[in-house]
Amino acid sequence: MARPRKPLLSTDRIVEAARALVDAEGLAAVSTRRLAAELGVSGPSLYNHFRTKDEILEAVADSVSAQVDLSMFEDGRDWRTALHDWAVSYRAALRDHPNIVPVLARGPGRRPAALRLADAVYGAMVEAGWPPAQATSIGALMRYFIMGSALGSFAGGFPDDASAYDPADYPHLQQAHRLAEKQEKIDERAFETGLTALLDGLARQYEQVRGTA
């Protein structure tokens, strides 16, 4: 009986394995030796697809960018609704893969999915009537906000030990030990509150822009 053949090594298989490793153990866990072991291949075989570890991490980052929905910029939604829905989709992708955020935060570089994302946001804002310079600023502002929200949990950063909050030192934090147990709800609400405030501010600016156009 013939032995079952191992799946051929491919770029997609390497990226999938690297993404799983980053998700589980963080960026520091990724090495060509570790990936080769995970994939059941020899280390040098990876170099037929990627020259360096950094190239692999860039590809992992781009695979996460590719998960962000961009349809809202093409289906007729107004610019504010489109930005809101895109921000929610973008944050969801980063929430599922938080350990890759530091790589994404470097900017799109030459990553195709990341460049398509930037192109979609910028193009939609210009088409909606924003001046190009402000459209660029909006893209940057949204990225700062979404990336920042994905870098860590606000609620999860508070110890759940009530004794950590001596009322003599922290008179207003007597319920802070309860934040961690409601982490997801608090973080979601904070994101929506910030996003709404941000979009409200942009809407006021937009009225001024259209008024002087």
Side-chain angles (χ1 to χ4, degrees), residues 7-15 32 35 39 41-53 55-56 59:
L8 293 175
L9 188 63
S10 66
T11 297
D12 287 345
R13 280 194 68 213
I14 296 170
V15 171
T32 53
L35 277 176
L39 292 163
V41 299
S42 63
S45 63
L46 297 179
Y47 295 113
N48 293 324
H49 302 272
F50 295 99
R51 292 174 298 177
T52 65
K53 167 186 167 179
E55 282 191 1
I56 295 173

Side-chain angles (χ1 to χ4, degrees), residues 73 83 86 90 117-123 125 130-147 198 202:
F73 297 119
L83 275 183
W86 166 72
Y90 199 172
L117 187 155
D119 181 75
V121 175
Y122 175 79
M125 295 306 101
W130 285 97
Q134 286 179 277
T136 298
S137 297
I138 289 170
L141 170 64
M142 295 298 290
R143 194 168 72 87
Y144 297 154
F145 176 69
I146 297 165
M147 292 282 181
L198 189 157
L202 287 177

Side-chain angles (χ1 to χ4, degrees), residues 64-102:
V64 173
S65 293
Q67 297 175 14
V68 181
D69 183 14
L70 299 177
S71 64
M72 64 285 296
F73 297 119
E74 302 169 353
D75 60 12
R77 273 173 264 190
D78 65 90
W79 69 266
R80 177 182 172 139
T81 301
L83 275 183
H84 175 277
D85 295 348
W86 166 72
V88 171
S89 177
Y90 199 172
R91 180 172 179 265
L94 300 187
R95 186 182 57 218
D96 290 342
H97 307 282
N99 291 335
I100 199 64
V101 171

Side-chain angles (χ1 to χ4, degrees), residues 109-128:
R110 295 178 180 271
R111 301 192 297 271
L115 289 171
R116 283 193 294 271
L117 187 155
D119 181 75
V121 175
Y122 175 79
M125 295 306 101
V126 171
E127 288 178 10

Side-chain angles (χ1 to χ4, degrees), residues 126-182:
V126 171
E127 288 178 10
W130 285 97
Q134 286 179 277
T136 298
S137 297
I138 289 170
L141 170 64
M142 295 298 290
R143 194 168 72 87
Y144 297 154
F145 176 69
I146 297 165
M147 292 282 181
S149 74
L151 282 173
S153 164
F154 171 81
F158 287 84
D160 59 5
D161 179 4
S163 67
Y165 309 98
D166 187 330
D169 296 321
Y170 317 110
H172 305 295
L173 295 181
Q174 294 315 295
Q175 300 300 314
H177 63 284
R178 297 183 175 178
L179 292 175
E181 68 185 43
K182 300 178 180 179

